[in-house]
Amino acid sequence: MYLHWCDSSRFSQPRGMTMTSLLPSPGDGNCYYILTEDCAYGSKYFQAGNMCFCSERSYLRNFSDDRPPACFLKVIMLDDSSTVTINIGILQPVREEMAVFLLAISSHNERLNYFLERLSLEAALRAVPGQKVMVEVDRQYFPGIIRYIGSIYKNASPVLSPFFFGVELQGEGENRGRSDGSYHGTEYFKCKRNCGIFLPFSRVQFTPTPDDSYGKQKPKLDTEEVVPVKVGDAVSFYVDEVPTKGIAMAVYREGTQWFVKVCPEEEGTTDIFREIPMDSVVKESLPSLFSLFESDMGLGHPTQMKREINESGEECESGNSSLEVNSMVQITLDKGNQVSGIIRWLGYLPQIKHKMAGVELDEDKGVTAGEWLGKYYFHCAPKRGLFVKLQSCQPDVRFQCSHDSDLSLVDYRGQEVLPQAPDSFPPLRNEAAVRVLRGRMKGIQGHCNSCYMDAALFSLFSCTSVLDSMLFKPFPLCDRNVQSILRDEIVNPLRKTGFVRARSVMHLREQLTEKGQCSSFTNAEKDPEEFLNLIMHQILGIEPLLKLQSGGQKEQDCYCYQIFMDKQEDLVVPDVQQLVEHSFLSSDLKLVEIPSCFIIQMPRFGKEYKMFSKIIPSLELDITDLLLDSPRECCVCGDVATLECSECFKDKVFAATGLKQFCSSCSRQVHSHYRRKTHKPTRLHIPEEFHSRSARGSQQVPREKMELFAVLCIETSHYVSFVKYGPENEHWMFFDSMADRHGDENGFNIPTVTLCPEVAKYLDLPLAVLALEQPRDMDGVAKRLFCDAYMYMYQSKKMALYK
C-alpha cells in the first residue's frame, strides 16, 4: 500500500472532506492550501508544510457538478510561484486569515505542526494590539505588549503577504529587541531603542485576555496608558449606596466607555469580580492597597501567624521556615475556601514589610498571571497567580507522610478518590508543555516498581495524540473499565494539571492483574513491551500497530518491533535508521502498510548487556524502502528502481544508510564489477499506476518519513523517558517518575520533569566526534539518551488521522 497515488476515497473520507470542502468560504477570490506530506513534481520537490493556492474560478472549473470527481488540482506554490498539479489527498484547505500567519513561519515542518495543532494559531487570530504576551528571544521568554499585527515586507507577494507581530518588550526583556518599532526604514509602532521586535506567532505565547471566559476580547492595557486607574491599584466604589474597597484586576475599553474589573475586599480574594464604569471608581491612596495584607482577610487563620522578636529587637516571621520556591502549599481564604498551589516566588513586594509568596494555584481562582503593579515576579496562566503572606501558606497535607499509617502511594492523604475529569484534553505541545509539565511533582508518580509503566504512559500521551484512539474507540474486545481509568484517571489529569498520582496508576495495575491473569503487575518489575502488549492486545484489543511480511509469507501482526541483528563491526556508533534497515534486511522483512505509530526496541540482551555503547536518535525515520510493493528510488541515478540487492547493502562502497536498489541500467553497471558479479538482485514489484508515469523519466519517488516523539531509556533496571515536545532539536524534556523521595518507607516518590536542551548539542556533532565523547563528560542527562536507549517511538501524523 502506498498513499501517494490518487485514491479520493482513502484521503477524503477519513477526514470528512468532500471535494467541495476543499473550497473555503465563497467569494474569497483565492483558495489556499497546505501540503500535509512531501510532494514531487517533475524536477521540483516540495516539503510538507509548503503552501499554495488556486483561484476560486479554477477550483469550480475542476470540480463542477457535471464533471466526474478530480483527483488532482492545479495550484500555484506561494514560495516560488511555480504552477504544479497536486494530488488533492495531500491538500488541506486554509482560511486566508490563517494563511497569512502561517506564511510567517519559515520552517515548513514547523508550519505544518502549528497548522495541525491549531491552538497557537487560533490564539493568534484572536490577538489584538495592546494585549500582553510572552515572546521568545534567544531561547528565553520575556514579557511584552503587542503593538502591531500585519505585514512588514514592502515587496511581498501580490497574492498573500505574511503577518508578523510587532511587540514592545517589557521588564526583563528591555534592550533585548532588534528595533524601535521600525523595520527596513518603515515605522510600524514607536518604542524605545532595542525594545521592539517582529516575530511570527510561533514565537509568541498568548496570554488570554481578562474576559476570555465570557467570550469577549478585551486586551489588558499597558501600565503606561494615561488612565486614572491601573491594574493593581486600590479603588473605592459604591454598591447599593454602600462604600466598598477592592483591587483593580483589569482596565479595558468597550467603544468609548472605560471599565475597571475589581476584586472587592468583602467578597474575598478570588470569589467575585465586579465590572464597574471608570467614572464610578475612585483611586485609593497607596496604604489602602497594602492594608489588604495587613489584615488576616483571605490569608489564613490568625492562629497560624506567629511572631517572635529576634536578638536585635526586630519583629520577624516564623512557623513556615521549611517552605521554599517549588514547595506545594495550601491557603485558606476568608470564607474557609481552601486552594492549593506551588510557590513560584519568595521575597518582599514594594512597601510591604511581610515576606510574600507568589503562588501558582492549581485552579483558576487567582487574580494575576504573576504580575504585581506592572512588574512580573513569576509567570503562570491568567487567574492562576496569587500573592499572599508567606505565613499564610501551609504545607500541602496531601503530600505529607503519616508515620502511624501504612505505606501510601501519596495517596493524597484523606482523599480516597479524586473527581474524574469529564472533559478530554489535547496533548501538550511547545510552551504549553513546558508550562504544565515542567517541575517537581510533575508527570506520573512512581510507586513499587511502576517505572516501566510510568515512562511508557508519559511517552505515549503527554505530547502526542497518535494513540488517543485507545482512550475513546469502542474496540471489539475493549474493556471499558480499563479504558476509562486510562483516560479519566491518567491521561486527562496529565494533560490538564501535569500530574498523575500513584494511586491512579495502581488502579490501572490492579485491573491489568485481574484482566491479564498475571498476579505480579501490581508489584513486580516488568518491561514496557510486556505492558503495551497486554493492554493493547489482550485488554483493549486494538488493531496491531505493525503489519509485516517476510519473504512473501503470510502477514505478521505486532505492536512493538524488536531489532534482531548480528554484531556489525563496521557499526561503531549507529543511528536508529541504520539499525532498522540492517534488521529488516537480515530478516527479509517489509512493512505491509505505513504505520501510524512505530515502536522499536533496541538490540540488547538482558538489562546488563548492550550491543552498542551509543546509539544516535534518528529524528526522522525514512521507511520508504521498507514498504512492501511501493515505488523505490534507484540509489545511483534517482529513477524508479526495479531491482534490490541485499549483498550490495553490505558493500562499503555505497552509503551507510538506505537499502540498495537500482534501475535496470544502473544494476547492470554496478554488477559488472568483478566483486559484485556473483550478487543476485531480486526484482521489485512496482505499482502499475506509478510505473506507467515513471516511464517518461520525469517522476521522482516521494519519501515516506516518520518523526521521533519519545525515547524510553533504562539504567540499572530503572526506566525513564525523553519526550520531544516541540519542533526544534532543543525541544526535549526528561521524565523520571522516581527522581526524588520524601520520607523513608512511609514516604512517597517525587516525579520530576526537566527540560534538556543539551541534547541538541550532541545531535549536531559529527559522528567521529560523538564516538569519542565519554559518557561521564556529556552535559546534563544527554548521556542517558545516547547510551541507555531501550525503545524508540515514531509517529506518522497523517496516518494517525485514519486509524
Side-chain angles (χ1 to χ4, degrees), residues 164-180:
F164 291 82
F165 285 84
V167 177
E168 180 182 357
L169 296 171
Q170 305 279 307
E172 298 175 357
E174 291 187 3
N175 297 318
R176 293 177 180 267
R178 308 283 190 268
S179 74
D180 59 356

Side-chain angles (χ1 to χ4, degrees), residues 347-409:
Y348 293 88
L349 294 170
Q351 302 186 37
I352 298 181
K353 63 182 180 180
H354 298 288
K355 189 172 185 179
M356 305 296 292
V359 181
E360 180 181 359
L361 301 178
D362 294 341
E363 304 173 83
D364 293 343
K365 292 186 176 181
V367 293
T368 178
E371 177 191 18
W372 180 257
L373 293 181
K375 179 181 178 181
Y376 277 92
Y377 291 86
F378 66 98
H379 297 286
C380 66
K383 299 182 184 179
R384 286 288 182 102
L386 189 66
F387 289 97
V388 297
K389 286 191 287 187
L390 178 59
Q391 286 186 320
S392 302
C393 300
Q394 301 300 314
D396 195 329
V397 297
R398 298 176 302 174
F399 300 99
Q400 302 303 299
C401 56
S402 172
H403 294 290
D404 57 356
S405 65
D406 295 331
L407 173 63
S408 172
L409 311 179

